[in-house]
């Protein structure tokens, strides 16, 4: 078990904190997409728990809902109070996991108003040229990365009720290079002028908005109620390699979750009742509609792709999502006496989720 407690640094991705722990690997791919995986295992085996609520994806890959093919964070980094990474010996409450889990506890408001904000910016003038931009006659593609956000917390009723709110955003124009596969490089001269013009440096856009809000109420010295809302909204273009912009796709990625929690402390027990709802969808569509063209050249027994232009395949228009609710109750018994002191934890959970999967648009 590895455990880290930290105040997040605003210049780092939420998933990067777990990368500081041995056995966890954070990757940012050439197209800007981010993944988190445990050791050499597939990212599908991971899970993230926010205040004990799993963020597992049941339809798409990536392990975490909304993380497949995304350049963003699964959760606002300013909302994280502390977290730990578990790579083995999972407790019963951590389900749907086979490699590693990141468990995070969120911040709450206090009796004092407190806030923080950050802003980060970089553009093409602040980065080196990509290999594609170093070619004769090429220039840097216009690109930029902006990240900004704020957090605010404070009292609603002194000593009784508090609030916490955070908003974070990303606005990226990520540099990519459209280039033929290795064996097809020599055939570029045979392309029509319009297709050849789509080769070279370009930039794909990514926009993300993250919101987390929580209200907590101390009903009595033994009872606490929390209600939280988290919202993730992304819009992302995807094209790179032999796929030109005209052949790319646009993905609308949303993840909305609600959680109502009641904690009760007794003299020798602790009970937690949790009701949640999730609505998570990843819906890619072609950037343009019409006829697509795949330019290839002979390469032995197979054809090598030079470039793909025009509208993307109808198979790139999909609906992948999950929607439903869950209820669970966890009971912890403390100070049980039997040949020493013991703690016993037990619980029950019911979850009802509708899964959606449409793999192609009508043609």
């Amino acid at each position: 078990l590895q455990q880290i407690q930290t105040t997040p640094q605003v210049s780092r991705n939420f998933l990067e904190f777990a990368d500081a722990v041995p056995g966890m690997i954070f990757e940012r791919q050439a197209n800007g997409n981010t993944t988190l995986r445990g050791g050499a295992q597939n990212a599908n085996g991971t899970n993230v728990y926010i205040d004990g609520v799993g963020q597992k994806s049941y339809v798409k890959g990536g392990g975490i809902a909304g993380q497949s093919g995304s350049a963003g964070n699964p959760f606002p980094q300013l909302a994280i109070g502390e977290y730990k990474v578990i790579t083995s010996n999972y407790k019963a409450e951590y389900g749907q996991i086979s490699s590693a889990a990141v468990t995070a506890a969120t911040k709450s408001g206090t009796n004092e108003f407190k806030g923080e904000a950050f802003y980060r910016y970089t553009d093409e003038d602040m980065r080196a040229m990509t290999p594609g931009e170093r070619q004769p006659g090429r220039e840097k593609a216009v690109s930029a990365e902006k990240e900004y956000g704020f957090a605010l917390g404070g009292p609603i009723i002194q000593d009784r009720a508090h609030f916490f709110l955070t908003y974070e955003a990303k606005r990226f124009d990520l540099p990519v290079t459209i280039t033929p596969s290795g064996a097809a490089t020599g055939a570029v001269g045979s392309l029509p002028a319009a297709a050849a013009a789509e080769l070279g440096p370009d930039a794909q856009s990514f926009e993300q908005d993250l919101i987390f809000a929580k209200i907590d109420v101390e009903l009595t010295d033994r009872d606490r109620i929390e209600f939280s809302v988290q919202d993730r909204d992304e819009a992302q273009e995807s094209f790179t390699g032999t796929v030109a912009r005209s052949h790319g796709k646009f993905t609308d990625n949303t993840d909305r979750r609600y959680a109502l929690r009641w904690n009760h402390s007794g003299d020798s027990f602790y009970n937690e009742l949790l009701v949640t709802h999730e609505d998570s969808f990843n819906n890619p569509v072609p950037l343009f509609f019409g006829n697509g063209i795949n330019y290839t050249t002979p390469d032995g027994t197979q054809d090598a792709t030079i470039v793909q232009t025009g509208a993307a395949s109808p198979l790139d228009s999909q609906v992948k999502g999950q929607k439903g609710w869950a209820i669970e109750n966890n009971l912890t018994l403390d100070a049980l006496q039997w040949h020493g002191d013991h703690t016993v934890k037990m619980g029950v959970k019911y979850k009802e989720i509708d899964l959606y999967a449409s793999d192609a648009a009508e043609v």
Side-chain angles (χ1 to χ4, degrees), residues 98-180:
S98 60
S99 63
V102 179
T103 66
T106 60
K107 296 177 182 178
S108 298
T110 64
N111 282 332
E112 297 181 0
F113 287 100
K114 295 181 179 180
E116 56 183 317
F118 72 92
Y119 181 85
R120 184 180 75 86
Y121 175 81
T122 184
D123 60 21
E124 69 275 6
D125 294 330
M126 304 179 189
R127 64 172 176 84
M129 300 182 74
T130 67
E133 293 169 340
R134 294 192 183 99
Q135 302 304 312
R138 299 291 186 181
E139 298 180 351
K140 283 185 179 180
V142 176
S143 62
E145 294 187 20
K146 293 186 289 185
E147 296 183 57
Y148 51 89
F150 72 90
L152 178 65
I156 300 174
I157 301 174
Q158 287 284 333
D159 298 323
R160 287 297 181 185
H162 310 87
F163 78 92
F164 179 83
L165 170 68
T166 184
Y167 167 78
E168 293 180 17
K170 292 180 184 289
R171 299 292 186 266
F172 291 170
D173 287 302
L174 301 168
V176 296
T177 302
I178 312 304
T179 182

Side-chain angles (χ1 to χ4, degrees), residues 246-247 288-293 309-312:
S246 63
H247 199 72
F288 303 96
F289 292 90
N291 295 321
I293 303 174
T309 67

Side-chain angles (χ1 to χ4, degrees), residues 303-350:
D303 290 338
T305 299
I306 308 173
V307 66
Q308 300 172 72
T309 67
S313 166
L315 294 175
D316 284 335
S317 181
Q318 303 176 357
V319 174
K320 303 284 188 179
Q322 57 195 62
K323 183 177 181 179
W325 67 282
I327 183 171
E328 64 179 287
N329 192 84
N330 299 308
L331 175 63
T332 302
L333 303 176
D334 293 322
L336 296 179
Q337 299 290 330
W338 187 73
H339 298 288
D341 294 333
H342 302 276
T343 297
V344 176
K345 189 170 185 179
M346 63 191 74
V348 61
K349 179 177 181 179
Y350 174 81

Side-chain angles (χ1 to χ4, degrees), residues 27 40 73 93 99 104 117 200 213 219 221 223 233 259 267 294-295 324 338:
E27 292 180 321
N73 291 4
E93 61 263 37
S99 63
L219 295 177
D221 292 340
D223 296 279
D233 197 346
D267 292 333
N294 185 10
Y295 292 94
W338 187 73

Side-chain angles (χ1 to χ4, degrees), residues 227-342:
F227 177 70
S228 63
V229 177
Q230 63 186 79
D231 183 274
R232 175 181 184 175
D233 197 346
E234 297 177 354
Q236 180 169 354
E237 296 178 343
S238 300
F239 56 90
T240 189
T242 62
V243 179
R245 170 183 286 275
S246 63
H247 199 72
K249 61 184 180 181
F250 171 86
T251 301
D252 181 26
N253 186 34
T254 60
D255 189 87
R256 297 180 176 90
R257 296 172 185 265
Y258 309 88
L260 178 63
R261 184 189 314 270
W262 171 35
N263 297 329
H264 176 75
S265 299
D267 292 333
S268 58
F269 72 92
Y270 176 80
N271 192 79
E272 177 187 60
L273 178 65
L274 180 62
V275 180
T276 62
H277 185 273
E278 61 189 79
D279 186 340
S280 180
F281 280 85
N282 184 284
N283 302 332
V285 295
L287 275 171
F288 303 96
F289 292 90
N291 295 321
I293 303 174
N294 185 10
Y295 292 94
T296 63
T297 185
D299 179 25
T301 59
Q302 298 179 340
D303 290 338
T305 299
I306 308 173
V307 66
Q308 300 172 72
T309 67
S313 166
L315 294 175
D316 284 335
S317 181
Q318 303 176 357
V319 174
K320 303 284 188 179
Q322 57 195 62
K323 183 177 181 179
W325 67 282
I327 183 171
E328 64 179 287
N329 192 84
N330 299 308
L331 175 63
T332 302
L333 303 176
D334 293 322
L336 296 179
Q337 299 290 330
W338 187 73
H339 298 288
D341 294 333
H342 302 276

